[in-house]
Amino acid sequence: MEDSIFTKIIKGEIPCHKVYEDDNTIAFLDIAPYTAGHTLVVSKLQVDHLWDLQPELYAHLMNVVGRVAERQRKILKPIRVGMLLEGFAVPHAHVHVFPMNEGIEATIAHIIPVPTTQELAAMAKKLRIN
């Protein structure tokens, strides 16, 4: 299987604005976000379907999703934090976690300007989980 863009990020071949990393997962800001702070939580094991992860790895990934969501709630203070599983753009198990101040239809329909590298770096610093 050819390396996905996420595997290239995990290997350090492509830069990212990381907010969390452990042995099994990595979380970084989406470069084309729905909202400021939109984070991707990715399994380091490249599998196409989230449902193909072993139960322990799936549970760990979802635990990290929860930690990222809590950090967004604390720092960005949205009304809600959304989670989206779509799996079409990148064939590598991942979860979108994003702050929301409107319903899902309005949130994902909004086209916000692509953030600059400096804006992504500042947001990653705010959201970083140590």
Side-chain angles (χ1 to χ4, degrees), residues 15-37:
C16 72
H17 295 278
K18 191 182 327 176
V19 298
Y20 179 80
E21 183 174 19
D22 63 33
D23 291 341
N24 297 306
T25 58
I26 185 170
F28 51 88
L29 296 179
D30 193 309
I31 60 170
Y34 299 144
T35 59

